[in-house]
Amino acid sequence: MTTQDRETPNERAAETREQLIRAGLVLFSRQGLEGVRTRQLAEHAGVNQSAIPYHFGGKDGVYAAVLERTAESIVGRLRLPCPAARSPEAAADALRALMREFVSALLDSDTSSAHSLMLVREQLQPTPTFDTLHRLLFQPLHEAVTDLVAAIRDESPGEEGNILRAHAILGQAIAFAVAREALLRRLDRSALSADAVTRIGELVGTMAVGSAKG
């Protein structure tokens, strides 16, 4: 009896869903929603094409599941919500730490890179699933950064200037993901080392505090 024979129907269904989500992350991050054919997705996942409508209702359902997994994976690596900072100095330390975590979540593995591309695609061409992505990731992260910026400046988080500063700070991290290939060529490398990711995180953290104060 093989391992597959010993699996329950629920276990087999869960494994099929997981295979499609993993395949979807690879393909959608490279080609976008419209660029991936249903048959291509099924072949990459190693499942029957009928599994896509059965488990997800169609290709769009797989895409939505991939985006949700992306958001959950990144948020799971961030300490959110941030505790209230008791001083501007404490807020600056917390902002540095949060940006280091965000940079690592965007850059430190092939999976992280695929997640980054999914985020960028949704920002440039939002699909109906963007609302879920915003609720799970962008809103809590943006609010956390805004709160820390406001604490550093001893101002209200609701002030438009602090919201704009928070957006610019997050853009500094996302820029490294968007322009990853250009950076690799400039560094004459094929991949970012763990040390390079750490240094980028430290740099972005320092720049974030500078942007908050400026």
Side-chain angles (χ1 to χ4, degrees), residues 87-120:
S87 68
E89 293 74 21
D93 288 342
L95 181 57
R96 288 189 194 94
L98 180 57
M99 296 312 296
R100 287 196 299 266
E101 292 167 356
F102 188 42
V103 165
S104 292
L106 294 178
L107 297 177
D108 70 357
S109 70
D110 289 341
T111 300
S112 296
S113 298
H115 287 160
S116 300
L117 289 173
M118 292 295 294
L119 298 186
V120 171

Side-chain angles (χ1 to χ4, degrees), residues 39-196:
R39 177 172 296 185
Q40 178 188 13
L41 178 59
E43 289 175 351
H44 196 96
V47 303
N48 291 329
Q49 191 170 337
S50 60
I52 294 175
Y54 180 80
H55 290 286
F56 293 98
K59 183 181 70 170
D60 287 8
V62 181
Y63 184 84
V66 170
L67 269 185
E68 186 170 342
R69 174 71 60 83
T70 293
E72 291 172 346
S73 296
I74 294 175
V75 167
R77 299 183 58 179
L78 308 177
R79 281 171 284 189
L80 295 175
C82 294
R86 298 184 178 181
S87 68
E89 293 74 21
D93 288 342
L95 181 57
R96 288 189 194 94
L98 180 57
M99 296 312 296
R100 287 196 299 266
E101 292 167 356
F102 188 42
V103 165
S104 292
L106 294 178
L107 297 177
D108 70 357
S109 70
D110 289 341
T111 300
S112 296
S113 298
H115 287 160
S116 300
L117 289 173
M118 292 295 294
L119 298 186
V120 171
R121 286 187 179 280
E122 276 297 306
Q123 290 284 352
L124 294 175
Q125 295 179 314
T127 67
T129 312
F130 182 80
D131 287 342
T132 299
L133 184 64
H134 179 75
R135 174 177 55 82
L136 293 176
L137 172 60
F138 287 127
Q139 181 171 340
L141 178 56
H142 209 295
E143 288 178 350
V145 174
T146 303
D147 287 347
L148 292 171
V149 168
I152 291 170
R153 299 177 62 81
D154 194 23
E155 295 177 352
S156 167
E159 291 189 18
E160 184 175 285
N162 290 327
I163 295 172
L164 294 176
R165 286 184 179 87
H167 203 74
I169 286 168
L170 290 171
Q172 291 170 357
I174 294 172
F176 278 95
V178 173
R180 181 191 183 99
E181 289 305 315
L183 177 61
L184 289 174
R185 293 193 183 195
R186 187 70 180 86
L187 296 173
D188 194 22
R189 299 178 185 175
S190 59
L192 291 173
S193 66
D195 179 63

